[in-house]
Amino acid sequence: AQKVTQAQTEISVVEKEDVTLDCVYETRDTTYYLFWYKQPPSGELVFLIRRNSFDEQNEISGRYSWNFQKSTSSFNFTITASQVVDSAVYFCALSEAPGTGFQKLVFGTGTRLLVSP
Amino acid sequence: EAQVTQNPRYLITVTGKKLTVTCSQNMNHEYMSWYRQDPGLGLRQIYYSMNVEVTDKGDVPEGYKVSRKEKRNFPLILESPSPNQTSLYFCASGAGGPAYNEQFFGPGTRLTVL
């Protein structure tokens, strides 16, 4: 069965610190997708990134970067020079391959990030 | 503007009073889904639909019904709500093909059952 583990329930940092959110996944599929979503205090889910299982290149988008390592089944998310606006709950999610046409997302329990001034 | 809309955004009701949460998308997506979010549990899938008249259970379907009579709409029905259905509900839609697996989420519906 698919499973996503976000062991960090809550992280508190001071502005400008770097922070890494951990995500470990389990799946028997050889083809799958991994996602990160941000949920700010307003409650909506904001899509951050999608990565397929065949692309292990790390990705950087501004202050955000993602480290995908199949060998350790991890897809960690780093925020560089954190800002107060980064305060949110962050969810990691996993999805099966497209061949089935089935797009179920399995979410982790989320990590609440608090960035103080 | 491409979007998923949900109504109502907030709802307080009483045990046993039937309610419907509507979900509509304007992106012509085949796939739609409902999730509930609870503290410490993340989001869990309730029901999903691959296309019109094609629906199936997710991980936590008990106490819920859905229908997909039109491609754009996927309402969530609680025939007899109970307090354990107090939750934050999200509707999502997605397309197949190369854009597969990017799901678009609605703004959420916060439901309280007294």
Side-chain angles (χ1 to χ4, degrees):
Chain A
Q2 297 180 319
K3 183 178 179 182
V4 175
T5 301
Q6 295 179 256
Q8 304 152 307
T9 304
E10 185 169 307
I11 301 174
S12 293
V13 298
V14 177
E15 213 170 14
K16 298 182 183 171
E17 284 185 24
D18 298 347
V19 58
T20 295
L21 309 182
D22 297 333
C23 174
V24 174
Y25 63 92
E26 296 175 28
T27 179
R28 286 176 290 189
D29 292 335
T30 55
T31 304
Y32 51 88
Y33 290 80
L34 294 163
F35 302 78
W36 276 94
Y37 286 87
K38 174 182 180 180
Q39 186 176 47
S42 50
E44 75 272 21
L45 285 167
V46 178
F47 168 82
L48 295 178
I49 190 172
R50 174 185 67 229
R51 171 69 68 212
N52 74 55
S53 53
F54 295 110
D55 182 1
E56 287 193 72
Q57 279 191 338
N58 291 333
E59 179 149 342
I60 298 175
S61 177
R63 297 183 297 106
Y64 294 171
S65 62
W66 290 269
N67 182 7
F68 176 30
Q69 292 196 350
K70 287 179 76 170
S71 60
T72 56
S73 297
S74 65
F75 186 43
N76 296 337
F77 172 33
T78 297
I79 302 175
T80 302
S82 59
Q83 300 176 1
V84 172
V85 293
D86 296 327
S87 296
V89 179
Y90 291 86
F91 289 100
C92 180
L94 168 70
S95 181
E96 293 178 341
T100 64
F102 182 27
Q103 297 191 13
K104 173 183 172 180
L105 282 171
V106 175
F107 284 84
T109 53
T111 297
R112 181 178 301 276
L113 174 64
L114 299 171
V115 182
S116 55
Chain B
E1 178 190 356
Q3 61 181 352
V4 179
T5 57
Q6 295 179 228
N7 283 292
R9 294 288 313 280
Y10 303 90
L11 178 61
I12 301 175
T13 189
V14 296
T15 299
K17 185 177 181 181
K18 181 179 178 180
L19 66 92
T20 299
V21 183
T22 64
C23 173
S24 182
Q25 50 95 2
N26 63 1
M27 295 167 279
N28 202 37
H29 286 163
E30 288 81 18
Y31 179 84
M32 297 185 75
S33 181
W34 277 101
Y35 295 84
R36 62 177 287 174
Q37 181 183 351
D38 301 291
L41 297 176
L43 282 81
R44 295 175 293 166
Q45 190 181 57
I46 303 170
Y47 268 94
Y48 66 95
S49 169
M50 299 302 297
N51 214 323
V52 175
E53 303 292 2
V54 181
T55 63
D56 207 348
K57 297 176 181 179
D59 293 324
V60 287
E62 295 77 21
Y64 304 95
K65 286 176 58 177
V66 293
S67 69
R68 187 93 181 271
K69 294 184 170 54
E70 304 168 282
K71 198 171 187 179
R72 63 182 292 128
N73 296 324
F74 190 45
L76 179 69
I77 303 157
L78 285 72
E79 295 268 3
S80 183
S82 63
N84 64 12
Q85 293 178 298
T86 293
S87 187
L88 178 58
Y89 292 87
F90 287 99
C91 180
S93 74
Y100 181 83
N101 265 311
E102 179 170 352
Q103 293 198 25
F104 294 80
F105 283 84
T109 295
R110 190 168 293 280
L111 172 66
T112 301
V113 183
L114 302 175

